[in-house]
């Protein structure tokens, strides 16, 4: 995993470099610092023909380009890069960084070196986990929902059911910790996993969560007490699928 | 001469029945068509033929209205039936007139031509009516009373027209067909004008109400600014006292005393002022005055409960593609919920962000710290669900109901890391269609296809 650092204060930059390379030698030798600079233009030059996987950016760069602007350009080049911001100020624009620039983390400098080391290491650890996940292509078991620039992974295991909204082309996804709305068609999701079953034109359910079915009323109750309809043609097939 | 005979009636009946599916935008499933045949079309023809023609017509209109009301659960079904009834009559008369003008004798070809003319005029009426629905009925908020008045007007019109027809047919006054048309046309015109006036008043009323709400929000906003100003005044008033106290410490060479005094009294007060100033500064970038007023008021309330509130508006927001009254209602409900829930948490946190994206969509995020065990995410959208007993419900059902009218708005609600989070995405209208085609929400299999430039080995 290649790391790029852009920080204009020399002392801070050296500290970052030291912390990251120490973490690399002890935990993940594949982490390498590809570039460490005070000048955002050098990062831009680097971006022209190369990619890094993780960027540590100071928000208040003493330059025409701010860290935010730099992050935006990095995002344009590489939507999957992990960006970690470093700032003097407390978490004032936390949500903006998360949703607009899909920042992984936000580290506040004034916290003191001990605290800083912990935070940098944690951010690095998470960045590496995500990096590894992207590489591990065989495990496809979640749906990605884009909220702003942020990507939320919803695991198949957590999904109760999909339903169509009253509005055309809008779907509602019910999962263990929440409800998501997005544009799409149920058909797109029918085939993604064997446990999903289209029991009605408006419902795509997770068979693992079916608690009971009422064949007379053609309704089924899921583990979260929500009720879905079953179309008459599907009753038999559904019963068969559930009895296995 | 044309007679209002059974074939003509059947033609009318079929065109009305068929076009109801078009105007009400219902998909004509096999089942619905069968039901319509059994309950409406066959009995109507039977009544017309073996009973009496007025009954047939009356039955057709009534049963269609009831049936389509059952299909859609929308009062507009009644309006559609009556309007289509009117259209059928007027189109019939127009066909009749043109038949008399161009043909001397009635023969199969003349009947064919008049049928085509009837269908043509009928189709034109449907197009006009659809235009009315799209441009006037749907976008303008018309009160229930005004809707009812419009429906009554159309019912009366259809009644008058059909009575007229039946009388002229039963008394064999065929020569009055032209006269009929003139009366009908002028009546129709009059009704149109009346409806237009009604709609204009409704529009005006809406504007006034909106102005009123805007005004109220502006007042709220000003009030909160005044409160801040008061705080500043108070601080300035204390200024002299503060200096004197500090002088006292300095004169006594009491450095530790000065330090505690400075940290405890001045820094804290200053921090508070700076903080609320910061929040209001963020609001400066929000140019929707109604929303600004609402949020400003809620800042004050959150402040009273000592809720740590954070607001982010990183970029200027001038327009959000949703009716501003609906938007303030939604945000109001969500903020009230968040504040209410925060009272029960030990160290409450409430974050609100309004973020404009490069594609001009706006993302609104509201999150507040909750006690996870108190909230059942599967039930939050139920109408009477509340985290507290003897409480009227969270209002999230209302939020959903309001937003269900907007194809360009999506809302996510979830719990993550002890935060109860709402994410509202409001897209520009033209964007919605393109995004469906491009399937911007990818499942992982699509995601894999993206090139990572061979980073993995």
């Amino acid at each position: 995993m290649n790391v790029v650092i852009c920080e204009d204060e020399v002392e801070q930059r050296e500290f970052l470099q030291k912390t990251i390379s120490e973490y690399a030698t002890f935990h993940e030798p594949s982490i390498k610092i590809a570039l460490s600079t005070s000048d955002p233009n050098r990062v831009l030059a680097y971006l022209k023909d190369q990619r890094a996987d993780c960027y540590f950016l100071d928000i208040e760069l003493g330059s025409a380009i701010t860290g935010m602007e730099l992050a935006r350009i990095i995002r344009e080049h590489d939507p999957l890069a992990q960006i970690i911001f470093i700032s003097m100020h407390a978490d004032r624009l936390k949500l903006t960084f998360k949703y607009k620039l899909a920042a992984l983390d936000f580290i506040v400098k004034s916290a003191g070196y001990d605290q800083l080391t912990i935070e940098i290491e944690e951010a690095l650890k998470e960045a590496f986990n995500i990096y590894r996940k992207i590489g591990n292509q065989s495990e496809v078991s979640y749906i990605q929902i884009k909220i702003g620039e942020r990507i939320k992974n919803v695991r198949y295991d957590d999904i109760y059911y999909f339903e169509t909204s009253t509005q055309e082309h809008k779907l509602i996804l019910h999962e263990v910790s929440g409800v998501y709305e997005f544009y799409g068609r149920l058909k797109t999701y029918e085939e993604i996993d064997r446990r999903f079953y289209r029991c009605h034109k408006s419902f795509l359910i997770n068979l693992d969560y079916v608690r009971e079915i009422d064949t007379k009323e053609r309704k089924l109750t899921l583990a979260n007490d929500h009720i879905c309809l079953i179309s008459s043609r599907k009753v038999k097939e559904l019963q068969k699928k559930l009895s296995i | 001469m044309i007679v209002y005979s059974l074939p003509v009636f059947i033609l009318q009946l079929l065109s009305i029945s068929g076009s109801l599916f078009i105007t009400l935008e219902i998909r004509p499933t096999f089942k619905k068509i069968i039901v319509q045949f059994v309950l409406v079309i066959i009995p109507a023809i039977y009544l017309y033929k073996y009973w009496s023609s007025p009954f047939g017509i009356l039955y057709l209109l009534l049963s269609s209205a009831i049936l389509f009301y059952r299909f859609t659960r929308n009062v507009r079904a009644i309006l559609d039936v009556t309007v289509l009834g009117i259209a059928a009559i007027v189109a019939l008369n127009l066909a009749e007139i043109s038949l008399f003008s161009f043909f001397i004798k009635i023969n199969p070809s003349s009947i064919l031509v008049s049928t085509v003319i009837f269908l043509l005029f009928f189709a034109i009426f449907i197009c006009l009516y659809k235009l009315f629905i799209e441009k006037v009925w749907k976008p303008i908020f018309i009160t229930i009373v005004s809707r009812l008045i419009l429906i009554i007007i159309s019912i009366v019109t259809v009644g008058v027209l059909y009575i007229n027809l039946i009388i002229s047919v039963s008394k064999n006054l065929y020569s009055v067909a032209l006269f009929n048309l003139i009366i009908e046309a002028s009546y129709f015109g009059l009704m149109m004008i009346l409806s237009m006036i009604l709609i204009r008043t409704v529009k005006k009323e809406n504007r006034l109400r909106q102005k009123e709400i805007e005004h109220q929000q502006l007042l709220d906003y000003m009030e909160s600014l005044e409160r801040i100003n008061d705080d500043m005044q108070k601080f300035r008033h204390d200024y002299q006292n503060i200096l004197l106290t500090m002088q006292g410490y300095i004169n006594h060479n009491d450095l530790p005393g000065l330090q505690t005094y400075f940290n405890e009294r001045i820094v804290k007060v200053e921090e508070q002022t700076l903080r609320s100033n910061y929040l209001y500064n963020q609001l400066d970038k929000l140019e929707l005055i109604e929303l600004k007023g609402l949020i400003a008021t809620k800042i004050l309330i959150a402040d009273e409960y000592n809720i740590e509130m954070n607001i982010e508006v990183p970029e200027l927001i001038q327009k959000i593609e949703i009716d501003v009254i609906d938007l303030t209602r939604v945000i109001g409900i969500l903020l009230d919920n968040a504040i209410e829930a925060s009272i029960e948490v030990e160290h409450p946190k409430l974050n609100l962000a309004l973020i404009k994206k490069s594609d001009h969509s706006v993302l609104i995020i509201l999150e507040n710290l909750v006690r996870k065990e108190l909230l059942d995410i599967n039930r939050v959208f139920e109408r009477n669900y509340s985290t507290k007993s003897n409480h009227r419900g969270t209002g999230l059902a209302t939020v959903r109901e309001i937003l269900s009218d907007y194809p360009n708005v999506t809302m996510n609600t979830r719990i993550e890391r002890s935060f109860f989070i709402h994410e509202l995405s409001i897209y520009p209208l033209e964007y919605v269609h393109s995004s469906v085609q491009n399937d911007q929400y990818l499942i992982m299999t699509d995601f894999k296809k993206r090139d990572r430039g061979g980073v993995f080995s």
Side-chain angles (χ1 to χ4, degrees):
Chain A
M1 184 173 83
N2 290 330
V3 179
V4 166
I5 300 170
C6 188
E7 156 73 79
D8 60 340
E9 283 170 57
V10 183
E11 196 190 331
Q12 287 284 348
R13 190 171 67 240
E14 275 165 3
F15 175 72
L16 259 172
Q17 251 171 283
K18 199 183 89 203
T19 317
I20 293 170
S21 43
E22 263 171 24
Y23 182 84
T25 31
F26 287 116
H27 302 278
E28 304 291 350
S30 67
I31 297 176
K32 278 194 234 36
I33 297 176
L35 177 73
S36 177
T37 174
S38 62
D39 183 4
N41 290 315
R42 284 196 54 199
V43 180
L44 294 182
Y46 175 85
L47 276 175
K48 276 201 182 108
D49 47 358
Q50 289 170 88
R51 294 278 174 282
D53 306 289
C54 178
Y55 296 81
F56 281 82
L57 305 177
D58 188 2
I59 292 172
E60 300 95 8
L61 290 167
S63 153
I65 303 172
T66 64
M68 252 179 113
E69 181 66 16
L70 186 59
R72 204 182 53 72
I73 298 167
I74 292 171
R75 270 270 166 272
E76 268 174 24
H77 279 82
D78 190 353
L80 294 179
Q82 304 303 320
I83 297 174
I84 296 150
F85 284 105
I86 309 156
S87 169
M88 265 326 272
H89 300 292
D91 51 352
R92 278 187 172 165
L93 289 174
K94 213 164 116 192
L95 289 176
T96 309
F97 284 105
K98 264 194 194 159
Y99 283 90
K100 195 157 182 175
L101 300 165
L104 181 69
D105 210 343
F106 190 100
I107 297 172
V108 183
K109 275 193 247 180
S110 52
Y113 281 130
D114 289 344
Q115 180 64 26
L116 216 53
T117 312
I118 295 170
E119 281 185 26
I120 291 168
E121 284 185 357
E122 261 173 19
L124 213 57
K125 199 166 137 195
E126 187 160 0
F128 191 76
N129 274 341
I130 293 171
Y131 165 78
R132 210 168 36 195
K133 228 182 250 170
I134 297 168
N136 213 343
Q137 300 193 348
S138 59
E139 270 179 63
V140 181
S141 57
Y142 46 88
I143 285 174
Q144 301 204 309
I145 297 170
K146 206 171 168 192
I147 310 152
E149 293 307 321
R150 210 168 157 217
I151 288 170
K152 171 83 192 154
N153 293 330
V154 179
R155 294 179 342 138
Y156 293 167
D157 290 346
D158 294 339
I159 295 172
Y160 290 126
Y161 67 104
F162 297 78
E163 78 178 301
T164 53
S165 155
T166 46
Q167 290 285 338
E168 239 179 315
H169 304 314
K170 223 196 265 180
L171 295 180
I172 304 169
L173 166 64
H174 298 258
E175 58 112 35
V176 172
S177 62
V179 179
Y180 298 85
E181 259 184 336
F182 52 90
Y183 297 104
R185 297 184 179 86
L186 276 188
K187 209 167 175 8
T188 322
Y189 301 96
E190 259 175 55
E191 302 288 326
I192 52 172
D193 197 83
R194 285 208 5 249
R195 74 193 98 171
F196 294 122
Y197 181 68
R198 181 85 172 264
C199 62
H200 186 266
K201 69 176 195 294
S202 321
F203 292 100
L204 178 67
I205 54 160
N206 186 342
L207 292 169
D208 294 349
Y209 283 115
V210 178
R211 208 172 54 198
E212 54 185 322
I213 60 173
D214 183 345
T215 47
K216 222 167 94 196
E217 292 281 315
R218 293 209 303 273
K219 279 174 182 166
L220 60 86
T221 314
L222 293 170
N224 61 346
D225 284 334
H226 285 197
I227 290 169
C228 298
L229 302 175
I230 313 169
S231 71
S232 49
R233 286 173 296 128
K234 299 287 182 78
V235 176
K236 280 232 171 74
E237 200 186 339
L238 180 67
Q239 274 176 317
K240 217 168 94 191
K241 283 213 174 229
L242 286 171
S243 60
I244 297 168
Chain B
M1 288 209 189
I2 215 167
V3 183
Y4 192 67
S5 57
L6 189 63
V8 177
F9 175 68
I10 292 175
L11 179 67
Q12 261 193 338
L13 181 141
L14 289 179
S15 2
I16 293 176
S17 306
S19 40
L20 273 173
F21 284 106
I22 302 172
T23 56
L24 285 169
E25 291 167 11
I26 316 171
R27 204 148 34 130
T29 55
F30 191 63
K31 200 171 135 200
K32 280 183 184 143
I33 293 173
I34 291 290
V35 169
Q36 195 186 23
F37 254 95
V38 172
L39 293 181
V40 179
I41 296 178
I42 294 168
I45 293 173
Y46 179 82
L47 279 175
Y48 187 90
K49 197 167 175 204
Y50 297 107
W51 199 255
S52 72
S53 48
F55 272 122
I57 297 167
L58 190 68
Y59 180 80
L60 162 69
L61 296 177
L62 265 179
S63 59
S64 296
I66 293 168
L67 185 69
F68 278 84
Y69 178 72
R70 293 271 306 187
F71 282 165
T72 55
R73 298 258 156 231
N74 188 344
V75 209
R76 227 193 72 206
I78 301 168
L79 183 72
D80 281 37
V81 170
T82 52
V83 167
L84 289 178
I86 297 168
I89 284 276
V90 176
L92 188 70
N93 270 305
L94 284 167
E96 210 173 314
I97 298 292
S98 36
L99 187 68
F100 290 147
S101 325
F102 298 121
F103 295 93
I104 300 139
K105 268 203 290 187
I106 294 179
N107 49 31
S109 71
S110 73
I111 288 181
L112 184 72
V113 169
S114 61
T115 308
V116 169
I117 292 174
F118 167 77
L119 289 176
L120 189 74
F121 280 120
F122 192 67
I124 294 172
F125 273 115
I126 291 176
C127 289
L128 285 176
Y129 180 63
K130 280 212 69 137
L131 210 67
F132 164 79
I133 291 295
E134 290 303 324
K135 296 274 177 237
V136 181
W137 185 272
K138 274 187 188 166
I140 300 172
F141 178 74
I142 305 174
T143 53
I144 306 285
V145 179
S146 317
R147 277 174 195 234
L148 274 180
I149 290 175
L150 273 177
I151 288 170
I152 289 169
I153 288 176
S154 56
I155 289 175
V156 170
T157 313
V158 78
V160 168
L161 289 183
Y162 275 93
I163 289 168
N164 193 359
L165 177 87
I166 288 157
I167 289 173
S168 64
V169 168
S170 65
K171 294 200 171 166
N172 279 344
L173 300 170
Y174 295 122
S175 54
V176 292
L178 187 68
F179 183 62
N180 260 352
L181 185 69
I182 296 169
I183 293 178
E184 279 162 20
S186 45
Y187 183 79
F188 197 64
L190 191 71
M191 283 306 145
M192 286 285 269
I193 294 168
L194 279 179
S195 311
M196 282 300 166
I197 293 172
L198 183 68
I199 285 163
R200 272 206 19 208
T201 7
V202 168
K203 251 184 178 171
K204 216 187 247 168
E205 222 171 82
N206 280 353
R207 254 206 311 269
L208 264 177
R209 197 166 8 180
Q210 187 147 351
K211 275 265 156 61
E212 224 167 76
I213 293 171
E214 246 169 66
H215 186 69
Q216 187 54 44
Q217 305 278 13
L218 190 64
L219 281 182
D220 287 348
Y221 184 55
M222 272 163 59
E223 196 187 331
S224 49
L225 285 183
E226 240 163 57
R227 291 263 284 270
I228 295 179
N229 200 25
D230 281 352
D231 282 352
M232 295 290 267
Q233 292 284 346
K234 222 184 285 161
F235 184 67
R236 218 163 270 161
H237 188 77
D238 289 344
Y239 190 55
Q240 213 164 10
N241 291 333
I242 290 169
L243 282 185
L244 283 175
T245 320
M246 279 168 81
Q247 197 183 23
Y249 282 117
I250 291 167
N251 285 346
H252 287 95
N253 244 342
D254 181 5
L255 200 61
L258 180 64
Q259 238 163 13
T260 37
Y261 177 76
F262 185 79
N263 286 334
E264 296 280 304
R265 300 293 301 276
I266 298 173
V267 173
K268 256 189 198 155
V269 174
E270 188 72 326
E271 235 169 36
Q272 183 84 31
T273 321
L274 279 178
R275 232 196 116 61
S276 51
N277 267 356
Y278 173 76
L279 291 189
Y280 285 98
N281 267 341
Q282 287 290 314
L283 281 188
D284 276 352
K285 292 193 209 116
L286 185 63
E287 290 200 347
L288 304 166
I289 186 79
E290 299 90 345
L291 197 57
K292 199 184 196 102
L294 175 87
I295 296 172
T297 329
K298 301 297 177 199
I299 292 176
L300 287 178
I301 295 170
D303 213 36
E304 268 165 35
Y305 289 113
N306 280 323
I307 298 168
E308 191 188 321
M309 192 167 176
N310 187 35
I311 291 173
E312 300 173 22
V313 188
E315 264 163 84
L316 200 66
I317 294 177
Q318 286 161 317
K319 201 171 115 201
I320 300 182
E321 298 255 5
I322 173 172
D323 181 64
V324 82
I325 295 174
D326 284 341
L327 183 64
T328 44
R329 269 181 77 198
V330 167
I331 303 292
I333 291 171
L334 295 180
L335 274 171
D336 283 344
N337 280 347
I339 290 171
E340 219 165 88
S342 292
I343 297 170
E344 304 191 351
V345 180
E346 212 170 315
H347 298 290
K349 264 197 191 120
L350 204 172
N351 301 322
L352 172 69
L354 294 108
I355 299 169
K356 191 164 89 181
K357 287 173 53 199
S358 46
D359 59 8
H360 296 289
S361 59
V362 175
L363 184 64
I364 301 174
I365 302 137
L366 179 77
E367 54 176 35
N368 62 289
L369 219 51
V370 282
R371 277 158 67 189
K372 218 174 178 173
E373 68 277 7
L374 281 182
L375 195 70
D376 182 356
I377 192 77
N378 294 314
R379 299 192 54 208
V380 289
F381 284 110
E382 283 174 26
R383 193 153 275 290
N384 294 317
Y385 179 74
S386 166
T387 48
K388 278 184 257 166
S389 50
N390 70 37
H391 199 263
R392 61 194 143 67
T394 54
L396 279 183
T398 316
V399 168
R400 253 210 169 162
E401 206 177 292
I402 295 170
L403 295 181
S404 70
D405 284 341
Y406 291 94
N408 63 323
V409 179
T410 60
M411 181 171 140
N412 303 331
T413 298
R414 67 160 183 281
I415 295 180
E416 198 179 290
R417 295 170 291 110
S418 300
F419 273 99
F420 189 39
I421 306 171
H422 299 285
E423 292 152 335
L424 224 77
S425 305
I426 302 147
Y427 300 97
L429 283 170
E430 67 277 4
Y431 176 80
V432 175
H433 304 287
S434 64
S435 79
V436 175
Q437 276 149 24
N438 298 341
D439 238 338
Q440 60 150 330
Y441 296 93
L442 309 157
I443 52 176
M444 192 58 194
T445 38
D446 292 329
F447 199 67
K448 277 196 308 193
K449 287 177 198 148
R450 280 204 231 163
D451 186 24
R452 283 288 297 166
V455 180
F456 309 107
S457 45

